[in-house]
């Protein structure tokens, strides 16, 4: 990832699973912090049919050079066969906050 800071997002099927993913990432030093948003309604195609499910989104803030390790951690600890893991570059923000993000992921 070429961005200096990123947000990596995933969704999961319960608040408990979301909390486990968020805490695991922060405890491992791969994310500085994480937010859990939900429940949300997701509509997607799976096994040839359109599905509608209640999910929780996990948003983890990290340094760009930690993104791949965080992605691997989320995929290894996720309960879905094909988990959503999306990386969004941070293009600006509070210098103090972004410095804290980098410091917390070292």
């Amino acid at each position: 990832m070429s961005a200096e800071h990123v947000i990596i997002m995933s969704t999961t099927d319960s608040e408990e699973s979301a909390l486990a993913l968020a805490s695991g990432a922060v405890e491992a030093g791969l994310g500085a912090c994480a937010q859990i948003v939900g429940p949300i309604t997701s509509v997607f195609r799976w096994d040839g049919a359109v599905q509608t499910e209640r999910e929780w989104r996990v948003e983890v803030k990290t340094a760009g050079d930690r993104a791949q390790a965080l992605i691997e951690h989320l995929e290894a600890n996720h309960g879905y066969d094909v988990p959503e893991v999306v990386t969004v570059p941070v293009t600006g923000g509070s210098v103090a906050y972004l410095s804290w993000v980098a410091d917390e992921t070292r």
Side-chain angles (χ1 to χ4, degrees):
M1 180 100 254
S2 60
E4 194 171 341
H5 302 89
V6 297
I7 300 170
I8 297 184
M9 297 183 294
S10 186
T11 54
T12 191
D13 61 352
S14 71
E15 187 173 11
E16 294 77 21
S17 296
L19 185 55
L21 288 172
S23 339
V26 173
E27 287 171 5
L30 299 172
C33 67
Q35 281 76 44
I36 297 168
V37 181
I40 59 174
T41 301
S42 294
V43 180
F44 54 94
R45 184 175 306 279
W46 186 254
D47 289 334
V50 175
Q51 310 283 327
T52 302
E53 297 290 339
R54 200 163 99 154
E55 292 187 298
W56 281 256
R57 183 172 52 238
V58 179
E59 301 174 353
V60 184
K61 282 68 171 194
T62 193
D65 63 355
R66 300 292 278 159
Q68 189 57 44
L70 176 54
I71 290 167
E72 291 168 8
H73 177 83
L74 292 172
E75 290 175 339
N77 291 283
H78 208 290
Y80 286 2
D81 292 337
V82 181
E84 170 191 5
V85 179
V86 177
T87 303
V88 179
V90 174
T91 59
S94 161
V95 172
Y97 175 78
L98 296 175
S99 177
W100 173 80
V101 168
D103 290 346
E104 290 301 313
T105 56
R106 298 298 137 205

